[in-house]
Short mmCIF file of all heavy atoms in Angstrom, two decimals:
data_model
loop_
_atom_site.label_atom_id
_atom_site.label_comp_id
_atom_site.label_asym_id
_atom_site.label_seq_id
_atom_site.Cartn_x
_atom_site.Cartn_y
_atom_site.Cartn_z
N MET A 457 -21.95 8.38 -2.14
CA MET A 457 -21.05 7.58 -1.37
C MET A 457 -20.25 8.52 -0.38
O MET A 457 -19.82 9.55 -0.82
CB MET A 457 -20.03 6.88 -2.31
CG MET A 457 -18.88 6.26 -1.54
SD MET A 457 -17.59 5.63 -2.65
CE MET A 457 -18.27 4.03 -3.00
N LYS A 458 -20.19 8.04 0.85
CA LYS A 458 -19.35 8.78 1.80
C LYS A 458 -18.23 7.91 2.34
O LYS A 458 -18.49 6.78 2.75
CB LYS A 458 -20.25 9.25 2.92
CG LYS A 458 -19.52 10.20 3.90
CD LYS A 458 -20.43 11.09 4.70
CE LYS A 458 -19.66 12.14 5.40
NZ LYS A 458 -20.26 12.57 6.59
N VAL A 459 -17.03 8.33 2.22
CA VAL A 459 -15.87 7.59 2.64
C VAL A 459 -15.43 7.90 4.06
O VAL A 459 -15.41 9.07 4.40
CB VAL A 459 -14.69 7.78 1.63
CG1 VAL A 459 -13.53 6.83 1.89
CG2 VAL A 459 -15.12 7.64 0.18
N ARG A 460 -15.04 6.92 4.79
CA ARG A 460 -14.44 7.14 6.15
C ARG A 460 -13.10 6.40 6.22
O ARG A 460 -12.87 5.37 5.75
CB ARG A 460 -15.33 6.58 7.21
CG ARG A 460 -16.70 7.35 7.34
CD ARG A 460 -17.18 7.37 8.70
NE ARG A 460 -18.30 8.26 8.78
CZ ARG A 460 -19.66 7.92 8.41
NH1 ARG A 460 -19.86 6.63 7.99
NH2 ARG A 460 -20.61 8.70 8.47
N ALA A 461 -12.17 7.15 6.89
CA ALA A 461 -10.82 6.53 7.15
C ALA A 461 -10.45 6.74 8.55
O ALA A 461 -10.49 7.91 9.07
CB ALA A 461 -9.82 7.28 6.22
N ASP A 462 -10.23 5.66 9.29
CA ASP A 462 -9.93 5.72 10.70
C ASP A 462 -8.46 5.57 10.94
O ASP A 462 -7.82 4.57 10.88
CB ASP A 462 -10.70 4.45 11.34
CG ASP A 462 -10.54 4.50 12.85
OD1 ASP A 462 -9.76 5.31 13.41
OD2 ASP A 462 -11.32 3.75 13.50
N THR A 463 -7.86 6.76 11.29
CA THR A 463 -6.41 6.78 11.52
C THR A 463 -5.92 6.03 12.82
O THR A 463 -4.85 5.70 12.93
CB THR A 463 -5.89 8.22 11.63
OG1 THR A 463 -6.62 8.91 12.62
CG2 THR A 463 -6.06 8.94 10.33
N SER A 464 -6.92 5.68 13.70
CA SER A 464 -6.53 4.91 14.89
C SER A 464 -6.35 3.50 14.58
O SER A 464 -5.79 2.72 15.35
CB SER A 464 -7.60 5.11 16.01
OG SER A 464 -8.78 4.42 15.65
N VAL A 465 -6.78 3.03 13.38
CA VAL A 465 -6.67 1.72 12.91
C VAL A 465 -5.60 1.48 11.84
O VAL A 465 -4.98 0.45 11.70
CB VAL A 465 -8.02 1.15 12.48
CG1 VAL A 465 -7.95 -0.25 11.94
CG2 VAL A 465 -9.09 1.28 13.53
N CYS A 466 -5.44 2.49 11.00
CA CYS A 466 -4.51 2.45 9.79
C CYS A 466 -3.12 2.06 10.24
O CYS A 466 -2.63 2.50 11.21
CB CYS A 466 -4.51 3.89 9.22
SG CYS A 466 -3.32 4.12 7.85
N VAL A 467 -2.48 1.27 9.42
CA VAL A 467 -1.10 0.72 9.65
C VAL A 467 -0.13 1.36 8.65
O VAL A 467 0.96 0.87 8.42
CB VAL A 467 -1.02 -0.74 9.73
CG1 VAL A 467 -1.81 -1.32 10.92
CG2 VAL A 467 -1.46 -1.39 8.45
N ALA A 468 -0.57 2.33 7.92
CA ALA A 468 0.30 3.12 6.98
C ALA A 468 0.88 2.20 5.91
O ALA A 468 2.00 2.45 5.47
CB ALA A 468 1.39 3.85 7.81
N SER A 469 0.12 1.29 5.34
CA SER A 469 0.64 0.48 4.35
C SER A 469 0.72 1.21 3.00
O SER A 469 1.48 0.80 2.14
CB SER A 469 -0.27 -0.80 4.16
OG SER A 469 -1.50 -0.41 3.58
N GLY A 470 -0.17 2.15 2.84
CA GLY A 470 -0.15 2.94 1.62
C GLY A 470 -0.88 2.34 0.45
O GLY A 470 -0.91 2.92 -0.67
N MET A 471 -1.49 1.22 0.63
CA MET A 471 -2.20 0.52 -0.47
C MET A 471 -3.29 1.43 -1.05
O MET A 471 -3.48 1.54 -2.26
CB MET A 471 -2.91 -0.77 0.06
CG MET A 471 -1.91 -1.86 0.37
SD MET A 471 -0.98 -2.39 -0.99
CE MET A 471 -2.20 -3.17 -1.96
N CYS A 472 -4.06 2.09 -0.21
CA CYS A 472 -5.15 2.90 -0.69
C CYS A 472 -4.64 4.08 -1.54
O CYS A 472 -5.26 4.51 -2.56
CB CYS A 472 -6.03 3.40 0.43
SG CYS A 472 -5.10 4.35 1.69
N VAL A 473 -3.51 4.64 -1.17
CA VAL A 473 -2.89 5.80 -1.86
C VAL A 473 -2.44 5.34 -3.24
O VAL A 473 -2.54 6.02 -4.23
CB VAL A 473 -1.67 6.43 -1.02
CG1 VAL A 473 -1.16 7.59 -1.62
CG2 VAL A 473 -2.23 6.69 0.41
N LEU A 474 -1.83 4.14 -3.28
CA LEU A 474 -1.37 3.64 -4.56
C LEU A 474 -2.52 3.44 -5.52
O LEU A 474 -2.41 3.70 -6.71
CB LEU A 474 -0.62 2.27 -4.39
CG LEU A 474 0.78 2.32 -3.89
CD1 LEU A 474 1.26 0.88 -3.62
CD2 LEU A 474 1.71 3.03 -4.85
N ASN A 475 -3.60 2.93 -5.07
CA ASN A 475 -4.78 2.58 -5.87
C ASN A 475 -5.69 3.77 -6.19
O ASN A 475 -6.26 3.76 -7.31
CB ASN A 475 -5.53 1.49 -5.28
CG ASN A 475 -4.69 0.15 -5.23
OD1 ASN A 475 -4.04 -0.19 -6.20
ND2 ASN A 475 -4.82 -0.58 -4.13
N VAL A 476 -5.92 4.61 -5.29
CA VAL A 476 -6.89 5.76 -5.51
C VAL A 476 -6.23 7.03 -4.98
O VAL A 476 -6.67 7.64 -3.99
CB VAL A 476 -8.20 5.44 -4.89
CG1 VAL A 476 -9.32 6.29 -5.50
CG2 VAL A 476 -8.65 3.99 -4.82
N PRO A 477 -5.20 7.54 -5.68
CA PRO A 477 -4.51 8.72 -5.17
C PRO A 477 -5.20 10.02 -5.16
O PRO A 477 -4.87 10.97 -4.55
CB PRO A 477 -3.26 8.79 -6.05
CG PRO A 477 -3.67 8.10 -7.32
CD PRO A 477 -4.64 7.01 -6.92
N ASP A 478 -6.30 10.06 -5.87
CA ASP A 478 -7.17 11.27 -5.87
C ASP A 478 -8.11 11.33 -4.64
O ASP A 478 -8.74 12.34 -4.38
CB ASP A 478 -7.95 11.45 -7.14
CG ASP A 478 -8.70 10.19 -7.55
OD1 ASP A 478 -8.29 9.04 -7.24
OD2 ASP A 478 -9.83 10.37 -8.17
N VAL A 479 -8.20 10.23 -3.97
CA VAL A 479 -9.12 10.11 -2.75
C VAL A 479 -8.36 9.96 -1.50
O VAL A 479 -8.78 10.48 -0.47
CB VAL A 479 -10.15 8.94 -2.92
CG1 VAL A 479 -11.06 8.78 -1.70
CG2 VAL A 479 -11.04 9.24 -4.16
N PHE A 480 -7.27 9.23 -1.56
CA PHE A 480 -6.47 8.95 -0.33
C PHE A 480 -5.00 9.49 -0.49
O PHE A 480 -4.47 9.49 -1.54
CB PHE A 480 -6.39 7.45 -0.06
CG PHE A 480 -7.75 6.78 0.05
CD1 PHE A 480 -8.20 6.03 -0.97
CD2 PHE A 480 -8.43 6.93 1.20
CE1 PHE A 480 -9.39 5.33 -0.86
CE2 PHE A 480 -9.75 6.32 1.33
CZ PHE A 480 -10.17 5.54 0.31
N ASP A 481 -4.46 10.02 0.67
CA ASP A 481 -3.08 10.42 0.74
C ASP A 481 -2.53 9.87 2.06
O ASP A 481 -3.33 9.37 2.90
CB ASP A 481 -2.99 11.81 0.62
CG ASP A 481 -1.61 12.36 0.23
OD1 ASP A 481 -0.69 11.44 0.12
OD2 ASP A 481 -1.37 13.54 0.06
N GLN A 482 -1.28 10.04 2.22
CA GLN A 482 -0.64 9.63 3.49
C GLN A 482 -0.03 10.86 4.20
O GLN A 482 0.57 11.66 3.47
CB GLN A 482 0.47 8.66 3.33
CG GLN A 482 -0.12 7.17 3.10
CD GLN A 482 1.04 6.22 2.85
OE1 GLN A 482 1.57 6.16 1.75
NE2 GLN A 482 1.36 5.46 3.85
N ARG A 483 -0.20 11.00 5.39
CA ARG A 483 0.31 12.18 6.17
C ARG A 483 1.87 12.07 6.18
O ARG A 483 2.42 11.04 6.36
CB ARG A 483 -0.23 12.16 7.63
CG ARG A 483 -1.69 12.22 7.72
CD ARG A 483 -2.18 12.63 9.11
NE ARG A 483 -1.66 11.82 10.22
CZ ARG A 483 -2.37 11.52 11.35
NH1 ARG A 483 -3.56 11.99 11.41
NH2 ARG A 483 -1.84 10.84 12.25
N GLU A 484 2.44 13.26 5.94
CA GLU A 484 3.89 13.34 5.87
C GLU A 484 4.51 12.88 7.15
O GLU A 484 5.50 12.12 7.08
CB GLU A 484 4.30 14.86 5.71
CG GLU A 484 3.84 15.52 4.41
CD GLU A 484 5.04 15.62 3.45
OE1 GLU A 484 6.25 15.67 3.88
OE2 GLU A 484 4.82 15.69 2.21
N GLU A 485 4.00 13.22 8.31
CA GLU A 485 4.68 12.96 9.59
C GLU A 485 4.67 11.46 10.00
O GLU A 485 5.63 10.94 10.58
CB GLU A 485 4.07 13.85 10.67
CG GLU A 485 2.64 13.60 11.02
CD GLU A 485 1.68 14.50 10.17
OE1 GLU A 485 1.98 14.85 9.05
OE2 GLU A 485 0.57 14.74 10.67
N ASP A 486 3.64 10.76 9.69
CA ASP A 486 3.56 9.38 10.21
C ASP A 486 3.05 8.37 9.25
O ASP A 486 2.91 7.15 9.53
CB ASP A 486 2.68 9.29 11.49
CG ASP A 486 1.23 9.92 11.30
OD1 ASP A 486 0.85 10.11 10.17
OD2 ASP A 486 0.67 10.19 12.30
N GLY A 487 2.72 8.76 8.00
CA GLY A 487 2.29 7.88 6.90
C GLY A 487 0.78 7.39 7.08
O GLY A 487 0.39 6.52 6.22
N LEU A 488 0.12 7.88 8.04
CA LEU A 488 -1.24 7.44 8.21
C LEU A 488 -2.16 8.04 7.17
O LEU A 488 -1.83 9.12 6.58
CB LEU A 488 -1.77 7.77 9.60
CG LEU A 488 -1.07 7.08 10.78
CD1 LEU A 488 -1.67 7.56 12.09
CD2 LEU A 488 -1.01 5.57 10.62
N VAL A 489 -3.25 7.32 6.87
CA VAL A 489 -4.13 7.75 5.80
C VAL A 489 -4.72 9.13 6.04
O VAL A 489 -5.08 9.52 7.17
CB VAL A 489 -5.23 6.73 5.60
CG1 VAL A 489 -6.12 6.65 6.83
CG2 VAL A 489 -6.05 6.98 4.32
N GLU A 490 -4.82 9.84 4.93
CA GLU A 490 -5.50 11.15 4.95
C GLU A 490 -6.55 11.16 3.85
O GLU A 490 -6.23 10.86 2.71
CB GLU A 490 -4.40 12.24 4.69
CG GLU A 490 -4.97 13.66 4.77
CD GLU A 490 -3.75 14.64 4.61
OE1 GLU A 490 -2.66 14.28 4.13
OE2 GLU A 490 -3.97 15.80 4.94
N LEU A 491 -7.74 11.53 4.16
CA LEU A 491 -8.85 11.57 3.18
C LEU A 491 -8.83 12.81 2.39
O LEU A 491 -8.86 13.95 2.94
CB LEU A 491 -10.13 11.32 3.94
CG LEU A 491 -11.32 10.83 3.23
CD1 LEU A 491 -11.01 9.53 2.40
CD2 LEU A 491 -12.43 10.55 4.21
N LEU A 492 -8.68 12.73 1.09
CA LEU A 492 -8.59 13.95 0.26
C LEU A 492 -10.02 14.29 -0.28
O LEU A 492 -10.33 15.45 -0.54
CB LEU A 492 -7.74 13.70 -0.97
CG LEU A 492 -6.22 13.46 -0.71
CD1 LEU A 492 -5.50 13.17 -2.05
CD2 LEU A 492 -5.66 14.61 0.05
N ASP A 493 -10.84 13.27 -0.45
CA ASP A 493 -12.18 13.49 -1.06
C ASP A 493 -13.16 12.57 -0.31
O ASP A 493 -13.24 11.37 -0.67
CB ASP A 493 -12.12 13.19 -2.52
CG ASP A 493 -13.31 13.63 -3.29
OD1 ASP A 493 -14.36 14.02 -2.52
OD2 ASP A 493 -13.44 13.53 -4.46
N GLU A 494 -13.98 13.12 0.60
CA GLU A 494 -14.89 12.31 1.42
C GLU A 494 -16.06 11.89 0.57
O GLU A 494 -16.68 10.87 0.81
CB GLU A 494 -15.41 13.26 2.53
CG GLU A 494 -15.88 12.46 3.76
CD GLU A 494 -16.16 13.46 4.89
OE1 GLU A 494 -17.30 14.04 4.83
OE2 GLU A 494 -15.33 13.61 5.77
N GLN A 495 -16.40 12.56 -0.53
CA GLN A 495 -17.50 12.23 -1.40
C GLN A 495 -17.04 12.13 -2.81
O GLN A 495 -17.36 13.11 -3.61
CB GLN A 495 -18.63 13.21 -1.13
CG GLN A 495 -19.24 13.05 0.24
CD GLN A 495 -20.44 13.98 0.42
OE1 GLN A 495 -20.30 15.25 0.43
NE2 GLN A 495 -21.60 13.39 0.49
N PRO A 496 -16.30 11.10 -3.16
CA PRO A 496 -15.72 11.08 -4.52
C PRO A 496 -16.90 10.93 -5.60
O PRO A 496 -17.92 10.39 -5.32
CB PRO A 496 -14.89 9.79 -4.46
CG PRO A 496 -15.36 8.99 -3.37
CD PRO A 496 -15.97 9.95 -2.34
N PRO A 497 -16.57 11.34 -6.82
CA PRO A 497 -17.55 11.20 -7.90
C PRO A 497 -17.86 9.76 -8.22
O PRO A 497 -17.02 8.89 -7.98
CB PRO A 497 -16.84 11.94 -9.04
CG PRO A 497 -15.41 11.94 -8.78
CD PRO A 497 -15.26 11.90 -7.28
N GLN A 498 -18.98 9.57 -8.85
CA GLN A 498 -19.44 8.22 -9.24
C GLN A 498 -18.38 7.35 -9.90
O GLN A 498 -18.27 6.18 -9.57
CB GLN A 498 -20.65 8.42 -10.22
CG GLN A 498 -21.38 7.17 -10.66
CD GLN A 498 -22.30 6.65 -9.57
OE1 GLN A 498 -23.00 7.52 -8.92
NE2 GLN A 498 -22.45 5.44 -9.43
N GLU A 499 -17.59 7.92 -10.83
CA GLU A 499 -16.67 7.16 -11.57
C GLU A 499 -15.52 6.59 -10.71
O GLU A 499 -14.83 5.71 -11.15
CB GLU A 499 -16.13 7.90 -12.79
CG GLU A 499 -15.31 9.14 -12.45
CD GLU A 499 -16.14 10.38 -12.42
OE1 GLU A 499 -17.38 10.31 -12.26
OE2 GLU A 499 -15.51 11.49 -12.56
N ARG A 500 -15.38 7.04 -9.53
CA ARG A 500 -14.30 6.56 -8.62
C ARG A 500 -14.77 5.59 -7.56
O ARG A 500 -14.06 4.98 -6.83
CB ARG A 500 -13.62 7.77 -7.94
CG ARG A 500 -13.05 8.78 -8.76
CD ARG A 500 -12.10 8.24 -9.81
NE ARG A 500 -10.83 7.92 -9.29
CZ ARG A 500 -10.09 6.74 -9.51
NH1 ARG A 500 -10.55 5.93 -10.41
NH2 ARG A 500 -8.96 6.57 -9.04
N HIS A 501 -16.13 5.34 -7.58
CA HIS A 501 -16.77 4.54 -6.49
C HIS A 501 -16.23 3.03 -6.50
O HIS A 501 -15.93 2.52 -5.49
CB HIS A 501 -18.20 4.49 -6.63
CG HIS A 501 -18.93 5.80 -6.19
ND1 HIS A 501 -20.27 5.99 -6.02
CD2 HIS A 501 -18.36 7.00 -5.94
CE1 HIS A 501 -20.56 7.16 -5.68
NE2 HIS A 501 -19.35 7.90 -5.56
N GLU A 502 -16.09 2.52 -7.69
CA GLU A 502 -15.63 1.12 -7.74
C GLU A 502 -14.17 0.97 -7.23
O GLU A 502 -13.85 0.09 -6.49
CB GLU A 502 -15.72 0.60 -9.20
CG GLU A 502 -15.62 -0.90 -9.31
CD GLU A 502 -16.64 -1.68 -8.44
OE1 GLU A 502 -17.77 -1.21 -8.29
OE2 GLU A 502 -16.19 -2.69 -7.83
N ALA A 503 -13.31 1.97 -7.58
CA ALA A 503 -11.96 1.96 -7.17
C ALA A 503 -11.89 2.07 -5.64
O ALA A 503 -11.06 1.50 -4.98
CB ALA A 503 -11.14 3.10 -7.86
N VAL A 504 -12.73 2.96 -5.09
CA VAL A 504 -12.82 3.15 -3.60
C VAL A 504 -13.19 1.92 -2.94
O VAL A 504 -12.65 1.50 -1.93
CB VAL A 504 -13.71 4.39 -3.25
CG1 VAL A 504 -13.91 4.44 -1.80
CG2 VAL A 504 -13.08 5.68 -3.76
N ARG A 505 -14.25 1.16 -3.47
CA ARG A 505 -14.67 -0.03 -2.90
C ARG A 505 -13.60 -1.10 -2.86
O ARG A 505 -13.41 -1.80 -1.86
CB ARG A 505 -15.94 -0.60 -3.67
CG ARG A 505 -17.20 0.18 -3.43
CD ARG A 505 -18.40 -0.51 -4.05
NE ARG A 505 -19.53 0.41 -4.18
CZ ARG A 505 -19.91 0.96 -5.29
NH1 ARG A 505 -19.32 0.68 -6.45
NH2 ARG A 505 -20.83 1.84 -5.34
N MET A 506 -12.79 -1.10 -3.98
CA MET A 506 -11.67 -2.00 -4.04
C MET A 506 -10.64 -1.65 -3.02
O MET A 506 -9.99 -2.55 -2.32
CB MET A 506 -11.02 -2.02 -5.41
CG MET A 506 -11.93 -2.61 -6.59
SD MET A 506 -12.53 -4.19 -6.20
CE MET A 506 -11.06 -5.19 -6.45
N ALA A 507 -10.42 -0.38 -2.76
CA ALA A 507 -9.43 0.02 -1.75
C ALA A 507 -9.94 -0.33 -0.39
O ALA A 507 -9.10 -0.70 0.48
CB ALA A 507 -9.23 1.57 -1.92
N VAL A 508 -11.22 -0.17 -0.19
CA VAL A 508 -11.71 -0.66 1.18
C VAL A 508 -11.52 -2.08 1.39
O VAL A 508 -11.01 -2.56 2.51
CB VAL A 508 -13.22 -0.32 1.22
CG1 VAL A 508 -13.89 -0.96 2.48
CG2 VAL A 508 -13.49 1.18 1.21
N LEU A 509 -11.72 -2.89 0.35
CA LEU A 509 -11.50 -4.37 0.47
C LEU A 509 -10.03 -4.69 0.61
O LEU A 509 -9.66 -5.69 1.30
CB LEU A 509 -12.01 -5.18 -0.81
CG LEU A 509 -13.55 -5.11 -0.90
CD1 LEU A 509 -13.96 -5.76 -2.26
CD2 LEU A 509 -14.19 -5.95 0.24
N GLY A 510 -9.15 -3.86 -0.02
CA GLY A 510 -7.68 -4.15 -0.02
C GLY A 510 -6.97 -3.62 1.16
O GLY A 510 -5.82 -3.88 1.39
N CYS A 511 -7.63 -2.75 2.03
CA CYS A 511 -6.94 -2.25 3.16
C CYS A 511 -6.70 -3.33 4.19
O CYS A 511 -7.58 -3.98 4.64
CB CYS A 511 -7.85 -1.18 3.82
SG CYS A 511 -7.19 -0.57 5.35
N PRO A 512 -5.41 -3.56 4.58
CA PRO A 512 -5.04 -4.56 5.43
C PRO A 512 -5.50 -4.48 6.87
O PRO A 512 -5.52 -5.42 7.70
CB PRO A 512 -3.51 -4.68 5.35
CG PRO A 512 -3.12 -3.32 4.99
CD PRO A 512 -4.23 -2.76 4.10
N SER A 513 -5.89 -3.31 7.27
CA SER A 513 -6.28 -3.02 8.69
C SER A 513 -7.71 -2.78 8.88
O SER A 513 -8.15 -2.72 10.05
CB SER A 513 -5.45 -1.85 9.18
OG SER A 513 -5.91 -0.68 8.58
N GLY A 514 -8.46 -2.66 7.80
CA GLY A 514 -9.89 -2.44 7.96
C GLY A 514 -10.19 -1.02 8.41
O GLY A 514 -11.24 -0.66 8.97
N ALA A 515 -9.23 -0.02 8.06
CA ALA A 515 -9.37 1.34 8.41
C ALA A 515 -10.43 2.13 7.53
O ALA A 515 -10.91 3.16 8.02
CB ALA A 515 -8.06 2.00 8.39
N LEU A 516 -10.68 1.53 6.45
CA LEU A 516 -11.53 2.29 5.48
C LEU A 516 -12.96 1.73 5.44
O LEU A 516 -13.16 0.45 5.55
CB LEU A 516 -10.86 2.15 4.04
CG LEU A 516 -9.48 2.66 3.92
CD1 LEU A 516 -9.04 2.49 2.53
CD2 LEU A 516 -9.39 4.16 4.32
N SER A 517 -13.92 2.56 5.20
CA SER A 517 -15.28 2.10 5.05
C SER A 517 -16.01 3.06 4.19
O SER A 517 -15.57 4.27 4.05
CB SER A 517 -15.97 1.88 6.44
OG SER A 517 -16.01 3.18 7.06
N VAL A 518 -17.12 2.65 3.64
CA VAL A 518 -17.96 3.56 2.84
C VAL A 518 -19.40 3.42 3.21
O VAL A 518 -19.83 2.38 3.63
CB VAL A 518 -17.86 3.31 1.27
CG1 VAL A 518 -16.52 3.74 0.77
CG2 VAL A 518 -18.16 1.89 0.93
N GLU A 519 -20.11 4.52 3.10
CA GLU A 519 -21.57 4.52 3.39
C GLU A 519 -22.16 4.81 2.01
O GLU A 519 -21.80 5.85 1.40
CB GLU A 519 -21.85 5.68 4.36
CG GLU A 519 -23.15 5.58 5.06
CD GLU A 519 -23.21 6.72 6.03
OE1 GLU A 519 -22.48 6.68 7.08
OE2 GLU A 519 -23.94 7.67 5.74
N GLU A 520 -22.90 3.94 1.52
CA GLU A 520 -23.50 4.13 0.11
C GLU A 520 -24.77 5.07 0.19
O GLU A 520 -25.41 5.09 1.15
CB GLU A 520 -23.89 2.83 -0.53
CG GLU A 520 -22.67 1.85 -0.65
CD GLU A 520 -21.76 2.14 -1.71
OE1 GLU A 520 -22.09 3.08 -2.55
OE2 GLU A 520 -20.69 1.50 -1.83
S1 SF4 B 1354 -4.68 0.85 2.87
FE1 SF4 B 1354 -5.54 0.96 4.94
S2 SF4 B 1354 -3.77 0.65 6.33
FE2 SF4 B 1354 -2.95 1.16 4.30
S3 SF4 B 1354 -2.66 3.37 4.33
FE3 SF4 B 1354 -4.71 3.04 3.46
S4 SF4 B 1354 -6.12 3.12 5.22
FE4 SF4 B 1354 -4.01 2.89 6.04
#
């Protein structure tokens, strides 16, 4: 799995950070998403998929 986060679309809701804090973070300066782990381990894939679905702006995507 490869995760992508588009900061030009992110609205800094922080949902992804709350749900998968080992993969997503928010930038100090503007709260936009910051990808911590572009290729998370297998056991985090389901949580990442849920974060993609739960992102209100469609900023997140995964390539399986
Ligand atoms: S859930 Fe989406 S909009 Fe919210 S911080 Fe994460 S990437 Fe940005």
Side-chain angles (χ1 to χ4, degrees):
M457 171 185 276
K458 187 158 189 208
V459 186
R460 293 210 172 84
D462 185 349
T463 52
S464 71
V465 178
C466 174
V467 295
S469 73
M471 291 298 292
C472 58
V473 181
L474 281 175
N475 292 321
V476 203
D478 50 328
V479 175
F480 303 105
D481 199 357
Q482 283 178 281
R483 302 196 305 212
E484 294 256 337
E485 62 272 28
D486 52 17
L488 296 181
V489 65
E490 184 175 18
L491 203 48
L492 298 178
D493 189 355
E494 204 174 81
Q495 294 184 291
Q498 184 80 36
E499 65 268 22
R500 304 306 283 140
H501 288 189
E502 196 52 40
V504 170
R505 288 189 198 104
M506 293 305 289
V508 171
L509 289 174
C511 172
S513 69
L516 304 178
S517 61
V518 291
E519 200 177 288
E520 299 285 351

